[in-house]
Amino acid sequence: MGGGSAAIEISAPLAGTVVPLDEVADPTFAQGILGKGAAIIPAEGRVTAPADGVIDVMFDTGHAVSMTTADGAEVLIHVGLDTVQLKGAHYTARCKAGDKVKKGDLLIEFDPAAIKAAGYDIVTPVIICNSDAYSAVEGAKPGSISAGGALLTLKK
Amino acid sequence: MKTIEYTITDELGIHARPAGLLVKAAGKFQSDIKIASPKKEVDAKRIMGVMSMGAKQGDLLRLTITGADEDAAAEEMELFLKQNL
């Protein structure tokens, strides 16, 4: 676990435009049912590890991945809304449960244009599933972000 | 202790949304609620655990509920499973 009261930083898993979670058009995310976080409208089709840690769940459909960071944060990256319905089309998983990853390692590749063409919103929520473990989960300001930039700050 | 068994009929199984809703439903109760898929047993109040079961259509889920409000919890969780999975 992170030492003392130091804040934990979760990086952007992809480049794009940050939007507040409550503006995401899916109540499961917008209402924080899966936890607090932020969302990114992707500008690229690669999801990379937002911190060092271990992959917990790589969904068979490739549309979402979750990991526990070395600091103990449980992060869910969900590429697009309702995209479980695509049943794997336009997504390629590049990791599996149990993999140890470093920040920046490739986790998922996807085709944003094809997913949009299929009628789906590609906004990608990045959620802290164990938000209750932190006094605050703060998102970056809305606007452009590069992959690896500071997206979320967690305070004990 | 109360036990519930339910076979998933939803073709998408337990993905992110149903996992979140299941944890929210379980979190309303004080009782300890465990949920098991054919792969593993997890705490039904932890999203990461519930997602990691990898529960698919046709999988048998077994819930084990222990605590002061186990009767109410069992009733609500059974209803949740029928309505959502």
Side-chain angles (χ1 to χ4, degrees):
Chain A
M1 303 295 280
S5 58
I8 297 168
E9 185 183 297
I10 303 298
S11 304
L14 36 68
T17 306
V18 177
V19 292
L21 197 59
D22 60 8
E23 290 179 14
V24 170
D26 179 334
T28 313
F29 294 111
Q31 295 171 9
I33 288 169
L34 289 161
K36 295 174 188 166
I40 300 175
I41 300 167
E44 60 176 342
R46 301 171 87 247
V47 174
T48 56
D52 296 355
V54 178
I55 302 300
D56 285 301
V57 185
M58 179 65 239
F59 284 83
D60 295 344
T61 46
H63 77 291
V65 61
S66 68
M67 65 177 288
T68 300
T69 73
D71 294 310
E74 298 174 355
V75 186
L76 170 68
I77 304 163
H78 196 284
V79 184
L81 303 181
D82 256 329
T83 42
V84 64
Q85 307 276 0
L86 286 167
K87 297 178 184 168
H90 315 309
Y91 291 93
T92 307
R94 296 295 185 201
C95 64
K96 60 183 190 303
D99 284 357
K100 287 197 173 90
V101 295
K102 291 284 186 192
K103 178 184 162 182
D105 284 356
L106 182 63
L107 305 182
I108 297 171
E109 286 182 295
F110 63 102
D111 184 339
I115 295 164
K116 276 195 275 194
Y120 293 87
D121 184 344
I122 60 166
V123 68
T124 297
V126 179
I127 305 293
I128 305 302
C129 293
N130 61 337
S131 289
D132 291 350
Y134 303 98
S135 63
V137 175
E138 291 167 4
K141 286 195 178 70
S144 80
I145 195 164
S146 34
L151 178 66
L152 299 174
T153 305
L154 316 184
K155 292 177 179 159
K156 284 282 177 185
Chain B
M1 188 182 84
K2 304 280 284 186
T3 310
I4 300 168
E5 288 192 343
Y6 179 80
T7 301
I8 297 175
T9 58
D10 187 288
E11 64 163 345
L12 299 171
I14 299 185
H15 54 101
R17 180 180 299 124
L21 295 174
L22 189 149
V23 168
K24 193 179 174 202
K28 287 192 249 174
F29 299 97
Q30 289 179 351
S31 292
D32 178 69
I33 305 180
K34 293 275 194 293
I35 183 166
S37 73
K39 266 173 72 180
K40 64 197 282 196
E41 183 180 71
V42 300
D43 181 345
K45 297 181 183 181
R46 290 186 58 80
I47 289 165
M48 206 66 124
V50 171
M51 287 193 301
S52 74
M53 289 193 301
K56 308 283 184 212
Q57 184 179 34
D59 281 357
L60 178 69
L61 297 177
R62 183 178 281 109
L63 273 74
T64 310
I65 307 173
T66 315
D69 54 3
E70 63 188 28
D71 290 330
E75 198 173 316
E76 173 138 348
M77 293 311 293
E78 187 158 25
L79 187 65
F80 174 88
L81 293 168
K82 285 179 180 160
Q83 288 178 342
N84 293 279
L85 287 166

